[in-house]
Amino acid sequence: MLSEWQNHKAQLRSYVSKRIDDADAVDDILQDVYIKASSNLHQLKSKGSLKGWLYRIAYNTIMDFYRARQPLDALPEELAIEEEDVSTQAHKELAQCLRPLINELPEKYATPLRMAELEGISQQAIADELGLSLSGAKSRVQRSRVKFREQMMACCDFEIGQQGIIDYMPKKPECSKC
């Protein structure tokens, strides 16, 4: 490895120094590249790809260098709280609609869905309670979820973000009772 490293070291130094303006950091990065390459040499698939592999390690090490140097600015507290409040409020309002919407399903689907989602009962316990096999209970809960989703989508338009549902708007006047 050492002889191969000596063959590529000058080119790698040039590559790194074009991307880093601190001469001391260039040496540190080259040292990190050598350590990573020598300790992970077993991952190299063929000797012919060594140069490209070293450049990839150098690139990743440069990116790590910039990530470590970059200070992270904290979000203002009022911004984070405000967004959380909007999402939390939408969830609370929507939660008020769940039980009535579940109750509108046929009892065959409402009961297992209520047990699984609102009461947190295991599917084995649902199967025992309803006199179904475990696979039958799982199927019933799955079908209940599909029917419930169809019912919700027919009733409301949802705004979905990274945290899930962040807002909703009833489509029909009878749905606005939620």
Side-chain angles (χ1 to χ4, degrees):
M1 173 66 190
L2 188 58
S3 64
E4 290 294 327
W5 173 254
Q6 294 301 332
N7 292 340
H8 299 292
K9 184 178 178 181
Q11 292 174 337
L12 284 170
R13 178 180 296 283
S14 173
Y15 175 79
V16 172
S17 63
K18 288 179 184 175
R19 288 155 179 79
I20 305 289
D21 55 358
D22 182 2
D24 293 331
V26 170
D27 291 333
D28 291 342
I29 289 174
L30 279 176
Q31 182 180 6
D32 286 346
V33 170
Y34 178 74
I35 291 170
K36 289 176 183 177
S38 61
S39 63
N40 293 308
L41 191 59
H42 64 278
Q43 293 178 349
L44 182 62
K45 293 187 176 37
S46 72
K47 190 175 179 177
S49 63
L50 177 68
K51 184 176 180 179
W53 186 63
L54 288 173
Y55 276 91
R56 174 53 57 191
I57 294 172
Y59 173 81
N60 290 338
T61 306
I62 291 168
M63 292 300 109
D64 291 342
F65 170 78
Y66 280 118
R67 282 187 204 109
R69 276 184 40 180
Q70 193 175 41
L72 298 176
D73 295 333
L75 287 175
E77 286 188 33
E78 61 275 359
L79 177 65
I81 291 170
E82 180 182 319
E83 189 172 307
E84 183 178 295
D85 287 344
V86 170
S87 178
T88 302
Q89 182 63 29
H91 283 142
K92 287 179 182 176
E93 288 177 14
L94 193 56
Q96 298 299 318
C97 295
L98 296 182
R99 196 170 292 275
L101 283 174
I102 290 173
N103 290 339
E104 289 180 15
L105 290 171
E107 194 58 35
K108 172 180 176 179
Y109 299 112
T111 300
L113 186 62
R114 205 177 302 113
M115 292 170 80
E117 300 300 336
L118 299 180
E119 298 168 17
I121 298 174
S122 72
Q123 292 187 351
Q124 181 63 57
I126 293 171
D128 295 341
E129 176 96 14
L130 300 179
L132 300 169
S133 65
L134 177 59
S135 63
K138 288 181 179 183
S139 295
R140 187 77 56 90
V141 170
Q142 282 301 103
R143 277 182 265 150
S144 300
R145 288 176 180 154
V146 168
K147 291 194 175 297
F148 180 68
R149 183 170 194 257
E150 290 169 357
Q151 190 172 356
M152 285 185 65
M153 298 307 284
C155 188
C156 297
D157 286 321
F158 295 96
E159 183 180 340
I160 300 175
Q162 288 181 329
Q163 303 85 10
I165 296 173
I166 56 176
D167 200 6
Y168 70 98
M169 177 65 73
K171 290 181 183 178
K172 306 173 198 170
E174 62 269 14
C175 292
S176 63
K177 66 186 174 204
C178 295

